[in-house]
Amino acid sequence: MVGRNIARLNAVDVVLWGLRVGVVAVVVIGTVGTLIKGRYNAAQWFDFIMFGLTIGSIYAQIALGYTMVYGVLRLINFAHGDIVMTGAFAGYFVAMPLDRSGFLEDNPVLAMAAILLVAVIVSTSIAVLTERIAYRPFRRVVGLAPLICAIGVSFFLEQTFRGMFGSAVKSYPDPQWQRAAFHVFGFNVPRIDVLVIGLALIFMGLLYLIVQRTRMGTAMRAVAEDGEAAALMGIDVNKVVVFTFVLGGAMAGIAGVFYAFVYKQVYFLMGFTPGIKAFGAAVLGGIGNIPGAMLGGFFLGMVESVGPTLFLDGIGIPAPYQLRDLIAFTLLIMVLIFRPHGLLGEALAKKRA
Amino acid sequence: MALLEVADIHVFYDKIEALKGISLAVEEREIVTLVGGNGAGKSTTLRAISGLLHPRQGSIRFAGRSLAGLGAHEIAAGGVVHIPEGRRIFGRLTVNENLELGAFTRRDRRDVATDKEQMLVLFPRLRERLKQLAGTLSGGEQQMLAAARALMARPRVLLMDEPSMGLAPMLVEQVFETIGRINQQGVTILLVEQNAPMALGIANRGYVLESGRIVLDGPGRDLLDDERVRRAYLG
Ligand SMILES: Nc1ncnc2c1ncn2[C@@H]1O[C@H](COP(=O)(O)OP(=O)(O)O)[C@@H](O)[C@H]1O
Ligand SMILES: [Mg+2]
């Protein structure tokens, strides 16, 4: 019995099991080790968690764009990360003069509203244009061509912005009020984190209401499920697709501004890493699943922020915080191998049955 | 002039000619049925009328206007409503959302509410399940929902593709009864069926399709008694 089972194991299974055991071992041993060593105090862990929530809320907003477009068109919009970049740039060109004139410092609410508004207008317009010009002609094409087209759009946006604004990294304004922190129970809560998380939650809540409660939102869910049947209801699928890109583009613009304020910089390739990670977050939540994308974003942000120190410090890896991306991408690869339908995949399958 | 006129349409899937010159007419308030074996081209005919497919040749006119170049959503909004093969309800939306989508193009919200109430009187099972995901309904209930959803659009012509497919015999009777009632309320019906005896029994007129061509047409009763139809479809 046992002998036969062992004989049936092939090399791939062995490697996969090795991978599984290895990752679990690193996580468990590392976590125990880190906690026993006790090199980090509560305030430091709190900082990691706050940052995880902040960056996670940004990933969540970007992930929504991937998941909605995938849901409606079955297209992985490879250029979505670059839409985030266009929002960050648009925000930059509003934020800079406001910063120089002191307006950003003195009127944070109005200034942020203006920056976000312009960023959203620009990112949304570009998202809609990419759909109209590049993706629509590929709508009925099967195979890899649409994905390759999306990769082309990504390069086009990156190189266009590089051509217009140069390849140098520009630093984003850093107003005093963002650097200050609230003090709650002895912990420092940076204001920028409160702003980013709070607004992200509000915008995502709004988006969720739009998708669940409005006529266009319902039409969008119908198209995602069966575009042809939706057309037979009198739903203009092209309009729904544009609407989807509007929602995704708006979220991407907001995320771009937040991302730039958190890292204090913009440059033409800045959308790539958060784009890939947010795509991973969407897969994590089960691609096409809107609440899943939000959860996936927060989960990924948290793992990437808390994970390096928690898992790696205990096994003696120095300066683990630099290995954030390694942790994030390891998580994504593990999910793709072991749960390709996402962490919520099972629940979704049950719901459909 | 007939309400719906299909004149010599040829429809292709890539290089395969699925319809080789179909002509038919449906008068206002009629029930007309298309019968024929599997692969004869019945679904393709309905899909061409509702704009899901575009004929390479020939014309389709509704209420005197050509439908050429219109998208499926425009044709639906114009009053030609297609219940496709396999019902195609939105399983991940609630029953209520499915009904609301049926009225997607209508602006008269108050009349929509009245119509929904009427649907729930006609199909009381749907009322019990309004908040449920439509995917959880049984096959018979899904067929009711598909019909109710289509009626929410206040169609002038209803294209129905095999509404009895996969249903228990008792439910099949009900489906045909419902079709008769919908027709009595003034809706013109083009019905595609493999269940030829039932369809020809209820229809004013019928067309028999074979490999993309109409081989026979006439009043439903006559076709039912026709020796060739009997041999081919009635066993
Ligand atoms: N999507 C498709 N691609 C290629 N051929 C198709 C497709 N759908 C139907 N056909 C072909 O067109 C012909 C008519 O099909 P259809 O209209 O579905 O027949 P029916 O509804 O009478 O059973 C058949 O020969 C079928 O194989
Ligand atoms: Mg058919």
Side-chain angles (χ1 to χ4, degrees):
Chain A
M1 198 47 195
V2 174
R4 241 198 279 151
N5 273 339
I6 287 175
R8 245 192 266 140
L9 281 180
N10 60 36
V12 174
D13 286 337
V14 172
V15 170
L16 288 182
W17 269 102
L19 200 61
R20 234 188 260 227
V21 172
V23 168
V24 171
V26 167
V27 167
V28 171
I29 297 172
T31 303
V32 171
T34 307
L35 294 179
I36 288 176
K37 268 204 267 177
R39 196 131 53 87
Y40 295 85
N41 62 29
Q44 283 166 312
W45 287 117
F46 182 81
D47 286 347
F48 288 136
I49 291 173
M50 275 316 287
F51 187 76
L53 288 175
T54 305
I55 200 72
S57 72
I58 295 173
Y59 293 157
Q61 282 175 290
I62 305 171
L64 283 167
Y66 280 104
T67 228
M68 288 188 299
V69 166
Y70 183 85
V72 167
L73 289 181
R74 298 290 178 274
L75 167 77
I76 294 167
N77 182 7
F78 199 82
H80 190 59
D82 302 297
I83 300 293
V84 174
M85 177 271 292
T86 67
F89 261 96
Y92 171 82
F93 288 110
V94 181
M96 278 320 278
L98 290 185
D99 189 43
R100 264 188 234 113
S101 69
F103 190 82
L104 178 59
E105 198 62 72
D106 302 336
N107 293 287
V109 175
L110 272 182
M112 285 306 288
I115 293 168
L116 286 173
L117 184 69
V118 172
V120 163
I121 291 172
V122 169
S123 64
T124 304
S125 312
I126 293 178
V128 168
L129 281 176
T130 61
E131 190 278 324
R132 188 69 195 80
I133 296 169
Y135 298 147
R136 197 172 294 182
F138 283 93
R139 184 82 59 79
R140 301 207 173 271
V141 178
V142 288
L144 281 177
L147 178 66
I148 292 167
C149 169
I151 294 173
V153 169
S154 170
F155 286 167
F156 175 83
L157 289 176
E158 287 165 6
Q159 297 308 322
T160 304
F161 273 68
R162 177 195 201 167
M164 288 195 300
F165 308 117
S167 55
V169 172
K170 303 180 197 310
S171 56
Y172 233 63
D174 188 14
Q176 198 64 43
W177 58 262
Q178 286 190 3
R179 264 179 280 161
F182 301 112
H183 301 281
V184 186
F185 301 121
F187 293 115
N188 285 332
V189 186
R191 283 199 197 169
I192 176 79
D193 291 6
V194 175
L195 178 81
V196 169
I197 299 169
L199 285 181
L201 286 177
I202 290 172
F203 289 129
M204 287 194 286
L206 259 176
L207 176 120
Y208 191 71
L209 279 182
I210 290 173
V211 171
Q212 290 297 323
R213 294 286 155 79
T214 66
R215 205 172 99 90
M216 275 311 266
T218 310
M220 184 177 134
R221 285 180 291 134
V223 170
E225 192 170 336
D226 185 341
E228 213 174 68
L232 293 180
M233 301 291 100
I235 294 170
D236 185 345
V237 174
N238 279 335
K239 259 194 207 157
V240 169
V241 170
V242 169
F243 178 73
T244 308
F245 275 82
V246 166
L247 291 181
M251 294 307 266
I254 295 165
V257 169
F258 288 167
Y259 194 78
F261 268 117
V262 168
Y263 285 106
K264 299 298 175 202
Q265 57 184 36
V266 280
Y267 66 108
F268 71 103
L269 281 178
M270 67 176 284
F272 183 76
T273 308
I276 288 278
K277 285 183 185 168
F279 168 63
V283 174
L284 215 59
I287 192 139
N289 180 334
I290 288 178
M294 301 190 208
L295 281 179
F298 277 107
F299 185 72
L300 183 65
M302 202 55 99
V303 169
E304 148 178 340
S305 177
V306 179
T309 310
L310 187 63
F311 306 150
L312 300 183
D313 188 66
I315 52 177
I317 292 177
Y321 207 61
Q322 293 178 6
L323 299 177
R324 274 182 326 162
D325 288 357
L326 176 77
I327 295 262
F329 289 120
T330 304
L331 171 69
L332 298 181
I333 291 169
M334 297 296 285
V335 169
L336 284 173
I337 295 175
F338 295 112
R339 298 199 60 121
H341 299 294
L343 296 177
L344 302 180
E346 209 167 73
L348 192 71
K350 267 190 211 136
K351 211 165 56 186
R352 275 184 207 164
Chain B
M1 183 184 47
L3 183 61
L4 183 67
E5 275 181 344
V6 175
D8 191 35
I9 56 169
H10 295 252
V11 175
F12 290 75
Y13 292 105
D14 267 329
K15 293 193 178 66
I16 304 160
E17 188 171 14
L19 300 186
K20 302 161 185 157
I22 296 277
S23 300
L24 57 85
V26 183
E27 302 287 341
E28 184 126 37
R29 289 179 174 258
E30 261 191 324
I31 300 182
V32 171
T33 184
L34 286 178
V35 297
N38 219 337
K42 305 181 298 292
S43 298
T44 305
T45 306
L46 294 195
R47 293 166 63 80
I49 297 171
S50 61
L52 292 177
L53 296 171
H54 300 286
R56 197 171 287 181
Q57 197 185 311
S59 77
I60 302 171
R61 305 179 74 81
F62 168 64
R65 287 201 344 261
S66 167
L67 298 184
L70 294 185
H73 67 282
E74 292 164 311
I75 293 175
V80 180
V81 175
H82 181 180
I83 307 177
E85 195 168 355
R87 326 190 215 293
R88 310 269 287 267
I89 55 151
F90 302 109
R92 276 179 273 159
L93 271 54
T94 65
V95 169
N96 189 47
E97 285 170 334
N98 270 274
L99 290 173
E100 290 285 339
L101 280 178
F104 186 78
T105 57
R106 290 175 55 186
R107 291 276 176 261
D108 44 341
R109 298 316 301 171
R110 199 170 306 154
D111 290 354
V112 168
T114 325
D115 283 6
K116 187 158 80 183
E117 186 52 36
Q118 255 185 11
M119 288 307 134
L120 298 178
V121 171
L122 191 62
F123 305 107
R125 295 294 287 274
L126 296 182
R127 190 192 297 278
E128 299 161 28
R129 289 166 171 52
L130 265 183
K131 296 253 152 58
Q132 247 168 272
L133 293 186
T136 65
L137 299 183
S138 72
E141 289 164 347
Q142 292 194 8
Q143 186 59 52
M144 291 176 200
L145 179 57
R149 183 180 67 174
L151 290 174
M152 289 296 292
R154 288 210 174 162
R156 285 183 72 188
V157 178
L158 202 53
L159 312 175
M160 306 178 89
D161 198 342
E162 309 221 17
S164 74
M165 188 168 53
L167 297 184
M170 214 184 67
L171 288 175
V172 173
E173 297 262 353
Q174 267 184 33
V175 165
F176 279 94
E177 227 175 87
T178 310
I179 293 172
R181 236 185 302 163
I182 292 169
N183 178 245
Q184 273 157 25
Q185 292 182 0
V187 181
T188 306
I189 291 174
L190 179 55
L191 171 68
V192 157
E193 261 299 336
Q194 286 215 31
N195 189 338
M198 292 284 277
L200 291 170
I202 192 180
N204 304 99
R205 292 184 304 111
Y207 294 86
V208 180
L209 242 72
E210 238 176 70
S211 336
R213 286 199 176 85
I214 287 171
V215 293
L216 214 59
D217 69 81
R221 289 281 150 205
D222 294 5
L223 290 180
L224 208 48
D225 296 334
D226 190 286
E227 200 47 44
R228 285 167 296 175
V229 176
R230 283 186 161 279
R231 245 184 296 126
Y233 304 107
L234 309 180

